[in-house]
Amino acid sequence: MRLPNLLDTRIGRLTAFFFLYLTEGIPLGFGATAIATQLRRADVGPAEIGAFVGSFYLPWAFKWAFGPFIDVFTSERLGRRRGWILGTQVMLVLTLVVAAQVPLPAQLGLLTGILLVHNTFGAMQDVAIDALAVNTLRADERGLANGVMFGGASIGMALGGGGVLFLMPVFGLTGGFYFVAACIAAVTVFIVLPLREAPTPEAERRAAGLASAGREIKRFCGEAFRSFLGTRGAFAGLFFALLPAGAMSLGLALQSNLAVELGLSDQSVGSLSVMTQVVAATCMVLGGWLSDRLGRRRTLFVYMALMSLPVLYLMTVLQQHGWVMPNPAEGPLKRTALPALVTALWVATLLYAAAQGLMYGTRSAIFMDVTNPRVAGTQFTAYMAMMNLAISYSATWQGIAAEAIGYPKTLLIDALTGLLCLAVLPFIKPSLTPDGDGGAGRRARRLATLLALGCVAAVAYRLGAWDAGKAAPMFEILFMLVFVASAVFLGTGAVVLGAATPQAARIGRLGLLMAPLLVAMYLRKWWPEPQAFYVVVPALAALLLAWQARLPWTALAERPEAPAQPAAA
C-alpha cells in the first residue's frame, strides 16, 4: 500500500511536522531523564550528570554552521530537505544502536562522546526540518504549526524520558536505546520516506561544491554580524538569548537527580516526566495565544517571573527539612526523604512546567520580532543556537554547584539568575529600520570593550588575583563563555572588517587567527599544561579586542549586499 505524501494537505503538513519534531524530543528526553536517572541510581555525582546532560545541547548551540552546507549540498532525487532529514535520521538510529553497547557507568565518557555525535546529527536534522517548514507551510498555518511542532518535541521528551522509565522493568536501560531508535525509525519509514517535495525551481538551485559552501559561510558571517548589531532590539536580543530563559533547574538534570535521591521509583519518575511534558505542551499553545492578544513583552515578563516561584518554593522546603547536600544512592550516609519533600517536588515540577510552557512559544516569537527579514533564516537560527548554549552551560554549572554548595543555594542562584533576562526584555523592540538604525558601529565598539574586559578578568583569575574556592568551576564556565563569545566576535567581525580600510582588514585577519586559539581554551579541562598558553591567549585577545574597540567600523553603516543570483546546478 502506497503511503500518502503528507505535504499535500494542511492536516498532513501539521501531522508531518509534529512527528518530525517528536524525533527531536525523544532522544533529549531519554538522555536528560531516563539515562540521568539511572546514572544517579548508580551513584554518579550531580556534577558528572550535569556535564553529561549539558553536552547534549552543545551541537544545537552551533547548528547555525550547518545551514550553508544543507542549503548547498542537495539532491533533487531525494528531495532538497527530505534527503538531509532521511540521512540524519538513519545516523540517529545507528548511533543509538552503538551507544546501547556501552557499559554504564564505567564508560560514561565514551557514551558522552557517542551521544555528542548523535546530537550533532539531531541538530543537522533540526535545520533541515525548519528549512522544509519554511518552504512548505502556508502563511495562514505557520502559527499553529509552530505550536504543534513545539508540542511534538515536548511529547517526544515525555516518551523518551518517562515512557522509557515505565518500560525499563521489561527491557532495562539497554533496551531503552533500542526503543528510542525504533521510534525514530518508525517516523523515518512512515513519515519521511513517503514525503515528496516540490522540485526546486531552476533559478533557485545553488551551485554545488566546497567553494560555493565557503562563499555561503562567509556571507553568512557578515550578515549575522550586521543583523545582531544593526538595531537596538536585535543587539538586546543577543544578550537575551545568551542569558538563561528564566530559572532552568527544574527542567534539567537537577530535577531528576532530586527525584532519585528522594526515593522516587522509576515508574514515579516516569509519571512525573510524562505529566510535566503534557502540561508544558498544553501551556505552549496557551502562552502563544495570550501573547498575541496581550502583548509579547508584557506576557513574557510575567511568564519568566513565574518560573522562579516554584524553584524558590522547592528551595524553601528543602532547607526546612535539612536536605542540603546530594544524597548517596547507597551506604550508611543515605537518608530517607519525608513524604512532604516528595510532595513538594511534584508540586514544584508541575507548576514549573506550566510556567515554562507559557514562556516557550512566546520567547521564540519575540526573537522573530527583532529579526531582520532580509536575513531571517540566518539571524533567527543563530538566536536559537545561543539559547541552546545557555541550556548547556546551565546544566553544567548546576551540577557543579549542587555538589559544591548544596541544592538550596543552587536553586536560589538559579531563581535569581533566571530573572536577569527581565532587565534586557524592555529593550527588545521591533525596529522601523530592520536593515540598520545607524548605531551598529557604536554597538560593535561597546561589545568589543565588554569582551576585552572579560578576557582581562580571566587573565587576572589565572594569575591568582582571587581565590574562588568551591565556586572555581563556575568561574571556569563563565570565562569559557567569554572566550567563545570573543572567538565568534573576532571570527565573524573579520568578514566585516575585510570590507573596510586596509588597516581594518589586517586587524580583522588577526582576529580570524585568534578565534581558534580562544576556542582551544576549552582544552584546559583535559590538557592543563602549559599554563602559560591559558594566560597568554586571553591577554592577546584582550589587546586585540581593545584595538578593535577603537575602530570606527564604517563597513557596518553600509547596507548588506544581497546574495548573488545562484547558478544552476
Side-chain angles (χ1 to χ4, degrees):
M1 182 179 67
R2 185 179 180 86
L3 294 172
N5 176 20
L6 295 177
L7 297 180
D8 286 341
T9 64
R10 176 186 174 90
I11 297 298
R13 287 188 289 273
L14 295 176
T15 302
F17 287 111
F18 172 83
F19 280 104
L20 288 173
Y21 260 65
L22 189 81
T23 62
E24 295 185 14
I26 291 175
L28 292 175
F30 178 60
T33 301
I35 299 180
T37 297
Q38 299 311 305
L39 289 175
R40 194 67 190 100
R41 293 197 191 285
D43 215 15
V44 177
E48 286 184 87
I49 296 174
F52 172 71
V53 173
S55 68
F56 290 174
Y57 292 93
L58 278 179
W60 298 80
F62 297 98
K63 68 178 184 177
W64 49 268
F66 304 133
F69 292 94
I70 290 173
D71 276 343
V72 171
F73 297 102
T74 61
S75 168
E76 288 300 313
R77 182 167 172 265
L78 294 175
R80 186 179 180 185
R81 312 301 184 188
R82 173 182 171 272
W84 278 98
I85 296 171
L86 183 62
T88 52
Q89 288 195 345
V90 169
M91 295 307 300
L92 288 174
V93 171
L94 291 178
T95 50
L96 284 169
V97 171
V98 172
Q101 317 307 316
V102 178
L104 287 176
Q107 297 292 329
L108 179 59
L110 177 60
L111 179 66
T112 301
I114 294 172
L115 291 183
L116 188 65
V117 175
H118 171 86
N119 279 286
T120 299
F121 287 111
M124 294 171 69
Q125 176 196 221
D126 179 66
V127 175
I129 291 172
D130 287 345
L132 180 64
V134 170
N135 289 337
T136 57
L137 289 173
R138 297 175 180 174
D140 61 351
E141 62 190 21
R142 286 175 184 164
L144 177 60
N146 273 280
V148 168
M149 288 155 72
F150 278 115
S154 185
I155 297 300
M157 292 184 71
L159 184 61
V164 169
L165 288 175
F166 279 128
L167 297 173
M168 205 164 284
V170 179
F171 49 52
L173 182 60
T174 300
F177 283 95
Y178 291 111
F179 172 77
V180 174
C183 290
I184 296 174
V187 173
T188 303
V189 172
F190 296 107
I191 302 295
V192 179
L193 280 177
L195 294 180
R196 293 291 180 271
E197 291 182 74
T200 307
E202 194 71 24
E204 295 181 13
R205 298 185 185 182
R206 303 192 181 193
L210 291 175
S212 178
R215 288 192 297 271
E216 288 292 319
I217 292 173
K218 183 177 179 180
R219 186 173 63 83
F220 166 87
C221 292
E223 288 179 347
F225 198 90
R226 288 185 175 93
S227 298
F228 286 127
L229 301 177
T231 65
R232 189 174 71 166
F235 187 58
L238 180 66
F239 294 93
F240 192 71
L242 286 171
L243 288 171
M248 305 187 77
S249 53
L250 295 184
L252 297 173
L254 186 144
Q255 182 264 337
S256 57
N257 286 344
L258 269 174
V260 172
E261 294 181 21
L262 296 179
L264 273 68
S265 65
D266 284 350
Q267 285 68 35
S268 296
V269 175
S271 297
L272 180 59
S273 174
V274 170
M275 292 179 65
T276 295
Q277 298 302 335
V278 170
V279 168
T282 303
C283 290
M284 284 175 190
V285 178
L286 176 62
W289 181 80
L290 288 173
S291 71
D292 286 339
R293 284 151 181 78
L294 303 178
R296 254 186 279 284
R297 284 182 298 155
R298 183 184 303 140
T299 52
L300 190 57
F301 189 98
V302 174
Y303 300 158
M304 288 184 160
L306 288 175
M307 290 172 68
S308 289
L309 297 182
V311 175
L312 293 173
Y313 162 70
L314 183 60
M315 176 207 71
T316 303
V317 176
L318 290 173
Q319 189 70 49
Q320 288 174 346
H321 289 82
W323 200 279
V324 177
M325 302 306 295
N327 187 28
E330 300 293 342
L333 297 178
K334 182 179 179 180
R335 295 163 288 171
T336 301
L338 296 174
L341 283 173
V342 177
T343 301
L345 179 65
W346 272 83
V347 171
T349 303
L350 291 175
L351 290 176
Y352 175 84
Q356 187 186 46
L358 292 169
M359 175 274 297
Y360 240 93
T362 308
R363 179 188 59 172
S364 298
I366 205 166
F367 282 116
M368 291 182 181
D369 291 342
V370 297
T371 294
N372 180 359
R374 297 183 69 248
V375 290
T378 296
Q379 190 176 357
F380 186 72
T381 298
Y383 279 135
M384 298 299 105
M386 284 186 283
M387 288 192 294
N388 286 317
L389 180 61
I391 296 173
S392 178
Y393 75 69
S394 295
T396 304
W397 81 256
Q398 286 169 18
I400 295 170
E403 287 191 358
I405 58 179
Y407 285 121
K409 290 182 180 178
T410 301
L411 292 171
L412 177 61
I413 295 172
D414 178 53
L416 295 178
T417 55
L419 298 175
L420 292 176
C421 56
L422 300 183
V424 183
L425 186 57
F427 299 99
I428 307 181
K429 297 179 181 179
S431 174
L432 297 177
T433 55
D435 282 332
D437 57 11
R442 180 177 67 255
R443 296 185 190 101
R445 292 191 292 273
R446 289 177 179 175
L447 185 55
T449 301
L450 180 63
L451 292 173
L453 292 174
C455 289
V456 169
V459 171
Y461 176 73
R462 292 278 186 270
L463 294 177
W466 71 89
D467 181 14
K470 291 183 178 180
M474 287 181 273
F475 274 93
E476 294 290 344
I477 293 173
L478 173 63
F479 289 132
M480 195 60 232
L481 286 173
V482 171
F483 299 147
V484 170
S486 299
V488 172
F489 180 89
L490 292 171
T492 55
V495 178
V496 176
L497 292 174
T501 64
Q503 181 188 14
R506 286 194 294 271
I507 298 174
R509 286 194 291 272
L510 289 176
L512 197 59
L513 294 174
M514 180 61 65
L517 296 177
L518 285 166
V519 174
M521 298 289 287
Y522 191 67
L523 296 175
R524 188 173 185 272
K525 183 177 180 181
W526 300 281
W527 183 44
E529 300 295 338
Q531 287 289 344
F533 175 83
Y534 301 105
V535 174
V536 171
V537 169
L540 291 176
L543 291 174
L544 184 56
L545 287 163
W547 194 0
Q548 293 195 1
R550 298 175 60 85
L551 295 176
W553 291 88
T554 53
L556 287 176
E558 300 172 5
R559 191 179 168 84
E561 294 181 6
Q565 184 70 18

